[in-house]
Amino acid sequence: MSEPVTGAVAGPDGKLRCPWAVSAEDYMAYHDEEWGREVRGDDAFFERLTLEAFQSGLSWITILRRREGFRAAFARFRIAEVARFTDTDRARLLADAGIIRNAAKIDATLNNARVLAGWDKGELDRLIWSHAPERTKGPGPRALSDVPAITDASKALSKDLKKRGVRFVGPTTAYALMQACGLVDDHLADCWARRT
């Protein structure tokens, strides 16, 4: 039996990528155009927080393939609009086949929008970026096994968000958010998309 590939691998265009990125076109586009790129703005972070929470226990490809459905269902993740959702909207979401119909995750999203709507403009952005570790120059992780699932920074971010009333954001979800939004660069050392 052969060992699983954990280092960078060539995609169909010959570019070396993180191995998870070459298993589907959706993954490759997300990897190349978005994952690990800097995100700014409260609504943009609300979208990423929500999608990472919905991904918990599922494959990320499931979320990517329903992303437009999520955007349509949750008012393109405009915090102020989602904060005004009613019980009728909740029922609509629970019946929407274009998203993951998980009551706990839907309720957490509605709660989070209501909480965040009370924050100052830019506060979510500033809070999340305040947990970005200092960037260090270096080769980066050589293999997927070198990439952590949780860090001290993600534990602190999770704790800070929970303390302020944000739900469904444990340390693993917080670290996935940090990776996706460019707070850390976990592209493998040989991956063409690595910045540092």
Side-chain angles (χ1 to χ4, degrees):
M1 181 179 256
S2 63
E3 289 291 315
V5 175
T6 63
V9 296
D13 58 1
K15 288 182 180 178
L16 289 177
R17 290 178 173 85
C18 301
W20 60 265
V22 297
S23 63
E25 271 187 47
D26 305 72
Y27 272 149
M28 195 159 62
Y30 175 69
H31 171 274
D32 290 0
E33 299 163 18
E34 188 172 354
W35 192 74
R37 304 283 194 271
E38 187 174 302
V39 169
R40 291 289 180 169
D42 293 344
D43 290 344
F45 272 118
F46 176 56
E47 175 179 1
R48 300 327 190 283
L49 274 170
T50 301
L51 295 178
E52 293 293 348
F54 271 93
Q55 186 273 330
S56 181
L58 301 171
S59 166
W60 182 243
I61 198 81
T62 302
I63 303 303
L64 281 180
R65 290 182 174 161
R66 289 190 167 110
R67 193 170 190 182
E68 286 308 314
F70 276 105
R71 286 175 170 165
F74 287 103
R76 308 219 57 85
F77 293 101
R78 290 182 292 265
I79 294 168
E81 289 184 40
V82 179
R84 292 190 297 269
F85 278 17
T86 64
D87 287 343
T88 301
D89 291 302
R90 181 182 183 275
R92 171 185 55 80
L93 293 166
L94 286 168
D96 189 339
I99 65 170
I100 306 301
R101 295 173 287 185
N102 178 299
K105 293 175 182 181
I106 288 169
D107 290 342
T109 302
L110 299 180
N111 167 79
N112 293 347
R114 291 177 187 123
V115 166
L116 296 171
W119 292 17
D120 292 337
K121 183 177 168 72
E123 189 172 352
L124 177 61
D125 183 293
R126 287 188 301 275
L127 173 85
I128 290 173
W129 276 101
S130 75
H131 290 279
E134 186 175 322
R135 296 222 177 188
T136 57
K137 296 252 185 223
R142 301 290 315 162
L144 292 179
S145 58
D146 298 331
V147 178
I150 296 173
T151 64
D152 289 342
S154 76
K155 290 177 194 174
L157 174 57
S158 171
K159 183 177 179 181
D160 211 355
L161 287 166
K162 286 179 179 180
K163 181 174 68 176
R164 293 169 176 245
V166 177
R167 293 179 13 205
F168 235 102
V169 61
T172 303
T173 298
Y175 193 68
L177 175 81
M178 294 171 79
Q179 291 174 302
C181 297
L183 279 76
V184 295
D185 186 357
D186 277 345
H187 285 284
L188 298 185
D190 295 330
C191 177
W192 77 267
R194 185 161 179 85
R195 298 182 316 270
T196 53

